[in-house]
Amino acid sequence: MYRKILLAFIAVCLLQQISLSQTNSKRPNVIVIYTDDQGADDLNIYGAADLMTPNIDKLACNGVRFTHFYSASPICSPSRASLLTGRYPQRAGLPAMASSKEGDAGMPAEQFTMGELFKSAGYKTAHIGKWHVGYTPETMPNAQGFDYSFGFMGGCIDNYSHYFYWNGPNRHDLWRNGKEIWEPGKFFPDLMVSETNKFLSENKRNPFFIYFAINIPHYPLQGEKKWLDYYKDLPSPRRMYAAFISTMDEKIGLVLKKLDDLGLTDNTIIVFQSDQGFSREERTFGGGGSAGNLRGSKFSLFEGGVRVPAIISWKGHIPENEVRNQFAANIDWFPTLADYCNISLPQRKLDGKSLKPVIASAKASGPHPEFYWQSQGAKDNPQWSVIEGDWKLLHSPFESEKSELTADGFMLVNMKTDSTERINEADKHPDIVQRLYAKYQSWIAEVTDQK
């Protein structure tokens, strides 16, 4: 009798394992590629005729490319926090830049990340590359839902020495699963590819989620020699920037090839996005990137600071070689990917909305009737903006002239007639200014107080 019960129990367990294996094999894998300081136009397929980016261009041809896609912040850490949580940076608890010093916390550990979302659904999860949302054990990747982590925790590193060197003394910043490691002289993007492809090989039979946060084209601009030679006739700093972009494209191509070699491409959702606009900082030679005719760059809430290239590809499951013009944002990837992977959302407030209807149809309504930003600036004079339909209200925007703003620091732009954000219509439409200002005040109070 006991033997029969035991055999029956074993049979049930085997059936459950087979069922789980079949379920997992049907679940799509996910890779989120998050680039660093890349301009809105800085891919060949986005109009940059002087750039060679065949691998990312092919990704767009195999999926859907967005023309009005935004980051919830024009700076690194809040952008990453909003991506990982599906929340505005203020609600995610990281509205400003996280520290690059070991021992300093960033985004509160109780936030629920994309890593935790996929891990809770049985996925194998990996962070590869830049983190920059917390530098304590409880805020580093392994404590935030990632089974495996390789990369650096601060804002940037030299790609060969792996040192952060903004302020002395120089600090080494390279980690694997919470342990400091040393790989002097090895090109960090190559290490990223090696770590990613190893993870793919080891998990080809499991559903997996990879956050591939590549640190390109963030300074230091260290493109490989073949690309520096290729772009030698471009003016400075575009040639250094272009060489780094093509270096990035080539590394991403190696990961995509590995997916093909393992037969995983058709069952893998790939998201590509920049964290914010290109940088004009001195460390990047004052520029090099491009947002086309858009005004602004990194740090600014003008379009060039927050509008970014964004692509999603899932061969055979979503439209191919199509463009979407609806407004969408990085906070939308969290619920979108959960939707595609049939994962229940956490019981907490999300600001992002699923883009599944928009991806399926160019005629679908965008998910955000209005959208809000607040970023840096003095506490009593912050930089913020609101967009509602064709109207965009900015307050004390970076990269603006004082003469362009009203006495109260406002700039009202009709984005339909003035996409380059040059004409201030605040004095003509004080009613719109007041209405959008009231909406902003209500929004900032809600996202700051409600966690």
Side-chain angles (χ1 to χ4, degrees), residues 23-87:
T23 299
N24 284 345
S25 67
K26 294 177 183 177
R27 275 191 155 170
N29 308 306
V30 178
I31 301 177
V32 174
I33 301 170
Y34 217 54
T35 69
D36 202 354
D37 290 6
Q38 182 178 1
D41 281 16
D42 284 327
L43 290 171
N44 186 265
I45 200 165
Y46 272 86
D50 61 345
L51 293 181
M52 176 77 74
T53 55
N55 295 295
I56 303 170
D57 294 346
K58 183 180 178 181
L59 195 64
C61 291
N62 289 334
V64 171
R65 170 169 57 93
F66 292 85
T67 62
H68 288 75
F69 202 96
Y70 293 80
S71 170
S73 174
I75 56 176
C76 292
S77 299
S79 171
R80 291 159 199 278
S82 56
L83 167 81
L84 288 168
T85 64
R87 299 173 131 191

Side-chain angles (χ1 to χ4, degrees), residues 4 6 19 32 41 100 188 202 232 266 298:
K4 288 182 179 180
L6 180 61
S19 176
V32 174
D41 281 16
S100 293
F188 182 72
E202 291 174 348
K232 62 182 173 57
D266 291 353
K298 179 181 178 180

Side-chain angles (χ1 to χ4, degrees), residues 420-432:
T420 60
E421 299 177 283
R422 297 291 175 183
I423 303 170
N424 190 352
E425 300 197 31
D427 289 337
K428 292 182 181 178
H429 302 282
D431 55 327
I432 297 176

Side-chain angles (χ1 to χ4, degrees), residues 157-230:
I157 55 171
D158 174 86
N159 285 286
Y160 294 94
S161 69
H162 317 132
Y163 274 80
F164 176 90
Y165 55 88
W166 285 1
N167 302 305
N170 294 346
R171 300 191 298 273
H172 183 258
D173 188 2
L174 187 62
W175 302 78
R176 180 183 285 115
N177 293 328
K179 304 288 186 182
E180 187 175 17
I181 63 170
W182 300 81
E183 296 284 358
K186 294 183 180 179
F187 191 44
F188 182 72
D190 283 337
L191 292 173
M192 283 188 63
V193 171
S194 176
E195 293 280 334
T196 302
N197 289 353
K198 182 173 182 287
F199 184 86
L200 290 173
S201 295
E202 291 174 348
N203 292 281
K204 60 186 177 183
R205 293 183 177 84
N206 303 309
F208 58 78
F209 166 68
I210 301 174
Y211 173 41
F212 187 84
I214 192 163
N215 59 320
I216 302 178
H218 195 291
Y219 52 80
L221 301 181
Q222 294 175 305
E224 293 182 305
K225 184 180 184 302
K226 63 179 282 188
W227 292 113
L228 290 167
D229 291 343
Y230 182 87

Side-chain angles (χ1 to χ4, degrees), residues 152-403:
F152 61 98
M153 300 298 110
C156 73
I157 55 171
D158 174 86
N159 285 286
Y160 294 94
S161 69
H162 317 132
Y163 274 80
F164 176 90
Y165 55 88
W166 285 1
N167 302 305
N170 294 346
R171 300 191 298 273
H172 183 258
D173 188 2
L174 187 62
W175 302 78
R176 180 183 285 115
N177 293 328
K179 304 288 186 182
E180 187 175 17
I181 63 170
W182 300 81
E183 296 284 358
K186 294 183 180 179
F187 191 44
F188 182 72
D190 283 337
L191 292 173
M192 283 188 63
V193 171
S194 176
E195 293 280 334
T196 302
N197 289 353
K198 182 173 182 287
F199 184 86
L200 290 173
S201 295
E202 291 174 348
N203 292 281
K204 60 186 177 183
R205 293 183 177 84
N206 303 309
F208 58 78
F209 166 68
I210 301 174
Y211 173 41
F212 187 84
I214 192 163
N215 59 320
I216 302 178
H218 195 291
Y219 52 80
L221 301 181
Q222 294 175 305
E224 293 182 305
K225 184 180 184 302
K226 63 179 282 188
W227 292 113
L228 290 167
D229 291 343
Y230 182 87
Y231 291 113
K232 62 182 173 57
D233 294 328
L234 286 181
S236 174
R238 182 64 171 176
R239 67 173 178 268
M240 292 87 88
Y241 182 92
F244 215 18
I245 287 283
S246 288
T247 297
M248 174 184 75
D249 180 83
E250 192 167 46
K251 304 311 174 187
I252 289 172
L254 293 174
V255 173
L256 300 181
K257 182 179 183 302
K258 186 66 173 182
L259 282 175
D260 277 340
D261 292 346
L262 294 172
L264 297 172
T265 298
D266 291 353
N267 196 41
T268 302
I269 302 170
I270 302 172
V271 167
F272 174 93
Q273 189 207 310
S274 173
D275 61 348
Q276 71 264 324
F278 73 97
S279 171
R280 296 185 188 274
E281 294 165 88
E282 183 180 13
R283 297 183 184 93
T284 193
F285 303 98
S290 173
N293 64 356
L294 300 179
R295 184 176 184 179
S297 59
K298 179 181 178 180
F299 300 111
S300 175
L301 290 179
F302 285 122
E303 294 288 287
V306 288
R307 197 190 299 188
V308 294
I311 297 162
I312 183 170
S313 175
W314 186 14
K315 200 167 178 60
H317 298 271
I318 67 171
E320 294 186 20
N321 199 25
E322 293 196 14
V323 175
R324 297 291 180 264
N325 299 315
Q326 297 97 320
F327 184 108
N330 67 334
I331 58 175
D332 297 326
W333 291 129
F334 190 112
T336 301
L337 294 172
D339 199 354
Y340 278 129
C341 298
N342 196 28
I343 302 173
S344 298
L345 291 173
Q347 296 299 308
R348 57 176 61 201
K349 172 72 175 178
L350 292 181
D351 298 302
K353 308 293 182 184
S354 176
L355 297 176
K356 194 173 179 180
V358 170
I359 292 166
S361 172
K363 296 180 181 180
S365 298
H368 300 285
E370 65 267 332
F371 201 84
Y372 303 85
W373 293 267
Q374 187 193 73
S375 179
Q376 298 186 306
K379 285 187 177 181
D380 59 347
N381 188 37
Q383 177 191 210
W384 57 262
S385 65
V386 182
I387 192 163
E388 179 192 62
D390 294 332
W391 291 107
K392 182 177 179 181
L393 179 66
L394 301 101
H395 179 263
S396 299
F398 285 20
E399 298 187 15
S400 64
E401 300 292 332
K402 189 174 181 180
S403 60

